[in-house]
Amino acid sequence: SQFEEIVFCGFGEPTCALPVLLEVARWLKTWCSLPIRINTNGLADLIWHKPTAPMLKGLIDCVSVSLNAMDAEEYLKLTRSKFGIGSFDAMLKFTKECTQYVPHVMMTVVGEPVTTPEEQEICKGICEKVGATLRVRPYED
């Protein structure tokens, strides 16, 4: 009762261990009623070479995808994804697909001084297109 939710996140991408994540989530669903969230870079489909959002149905209550930038070039510059320039579109596709299988889907960016209010508005528009909500994370120095 001291916790509000269970979150898969940390030092690395949790969907790199997707089979383990799903097995643990399945077990958790049998033992507690806490909502389960994944904080992800949204590149699971590229990691696993197949659509992964359907696998989350009934196991994951919230997906939080790091949007990080408002276009593919800035995203690649910031994340240096090994998957290259297509990473941004793959992340958006994954996020949109999650909205079909997961009750709550959000995307995040870091607030000022990392993003301006104008950039945050652009990011909000991106979120609206894929059906997610935008969460602006506070900048921590």
Side-chain angles (χ1 to χ4, degrees), residues 32-49:
C32 71
S33 60
L34 290 173
I36 299 174
R37 181 177 83 213
I38 299 174
N39 289 353
T40 178
N41 63 13
L43 301 179
D45 294 358
L46 296 178
I47 295 166
W48 292 98
H49 309 287

Side-chain angles (χ1 to χ4, degrees), residues 22 25-26 28-30 36 53-61 100-103:
L22 296 173
R26 193 171 289 110
L28 287 166
K29 287 291 184 186
T30 66
I36 299 174
M55 299 176 194
L56 308 179
K57 185 176 183 178
L59 298 176
I60 305 302
D61 302 292
Q100 298 173 43
Y101 303 102
V102 177

